[in-house]
Amino acid sequence: MGRAHHAHLRAAPGVRAALLALLALLSLFLLAPAAVPADAGNIGNSGNSGSSGNSGNSGNSGSSGNSRGGEAVRAAVRAHEAARVQVQRLREADALPTTIKDAERRRRTVRDELWDLLRAGARGSGDPVAVDPSGRGGRCRFGRRSRPPEPESERRSGSESAAEQRAELWTAPTRRYRLSARYAAKGSRWARRHTGQDFAVDSGTPVYAVGAGAVRATTCGDGFGNQVLVRHGDGYFTQYAHLSRIDVRKDQRVTAGQRIGLSGASGNVTGPHLHFEVRITPYLGSEVAPLPWLRRKSVLVSRAPAVP
C-alpha cells in the first residue's frame, strides 16, 4: 500500500515537545461547559455503508499512527472541533466580541499546533502534499484549466429567498454517484480507519469543488493517486482523490461547482470512484466527518444516486 495508508508518527524529541504543548492546550477544552455534538469530532460514522469490490473502495486512508503521537493528534482534532462548536454557539448567543475573539484564538492555537505536528510527519514520510504540492515533480496528469461555472443567479430568476441563494454557495463533489466506503469504516484496504467518504462513479465523471477557495495542492504518486486539495474560506481543506485527470493548478482560485478534474482509479483502489475528505490542515490525520460538514453547508448527500 502507499505511504498514505500507513502514516505512523514517531515521537521524536521535537515532536514530544509539540505533544506536550498540545496536551496543555487540550486541558483548556476538557473543562469547557458546552457539550460537543456527535458530528463535531473525528470519531464515528458520517455516512451510509457502501459496498466493496468494483464499486470503488478507497485503498487510501490509513491511521494517524498507533503511537502516543497518534492519540495526541486525534485528541487535538476533537479539541479543535469542540472549540469550533464553542465559537459558533457564542456567536449565536450574541456573546461579547472579546469573548468570541478569545474562543477563536484558542481554536486557532490548537489548529496551528496540530498543523506543525502533522507537517513534520508528512515531510518525513515523503507525503507529496508536503514535498511536491504543485505535482510537477511527480508529473501528474493535468488537463486544460477549468473555468468557473456560469453564476446560478444569472441562469435563474431573482425570486429565490436569501436562504436558497446561500445554499448555492456549496455543492456536492460529484453527480450521479452512489456512496460506497464510508468515513471511519474499518476494512482491509486501509491501515486502520477510512478517512473520507467514497463516491462510486464511472471513470471520467466530472468532480467539482464543493465551495469557493484556493487550490493548495495538486499531487500524484502515492496511495491517493491524482488528487486536489482546496482550502476554503472557513479554514477547512477538502481533498478529491483517485482522479484520472486534474483540471486546476496550485494557487488557482475556484468557485463552488467548478470542475477540478475527472474521477478515475489512480492510486491504491479497487475500482473507479472519488475519495472525498475534509481536513483541518492539509495533512492526513486531521480529517473530520465529511457528510456532517457538508450538511452544515446545507449540502445533503444521500445514499440514493443523485439526480443529474
Side-chain angles (χ1 to χ4, degrees), residues 144-203:
R144 181 176 299 178
R145 285 189 186 225
S146 67
R147 295 183 179 182
E150 181 183 352
E152 192 75 12
S153 58
E154 295 182 9
R155 298 200 305 266
R156 299 173 61 181
S157 66
S159 60
E160 308 103 327
S161 66
E164 289 174 328
Q165 293 176 6
R166 284 195 298 271
E168 293 174 1
L169 299 178
W170 298 89
T171 185
T174 190
R175 307 288 186 268
R176 300 181 64 85
Y177 57 81
R178 179 172 56 79
L179 298 183
S180 52
R182 68 185 185 276
Y183 171 76
K186 296 180 180 180
S188 61
R189 296 293 295 177
W190 39 85
R192 186 166 179 176
R193 56 195 296 277
H194 194 226
T195 55
Q197 173 64 57
D198 285 355
F199 292 75
V201 289
D202 293 335
S203 186

Side-chain angles (χ1 to χ4, degrees), residues 114-139:
L114 177 64
W115 193 311
D116 290 342
L117 178 60
L118 292 177
R119 177 171 52 190
R123 286 177 175 173
S125 67
D127 182 351
V129 172
V131 300
D132 184 27
S134 70
R136 294 192 182 96
R139 296 183 179 180

Side-chain angles (χ1 to χ4, degrees), residues 28 47 61 70 72 86 95 100 107 116 149 154 156 180 194 200 227-228 239 279 286 288 294 302 306:
L28 296 174
S61 172
Q86 182 70 1
I100 298 175
R107 181 196 69 80
D116 290 342
E154 295 182 9
R156 299 173 61 181
S180 52
H194 194 226
Q227 66 169 318
V228 173
Q239 178 207 32
R279 299 177 179 176
S286 62
V288 299
L294 284 173
S302 66

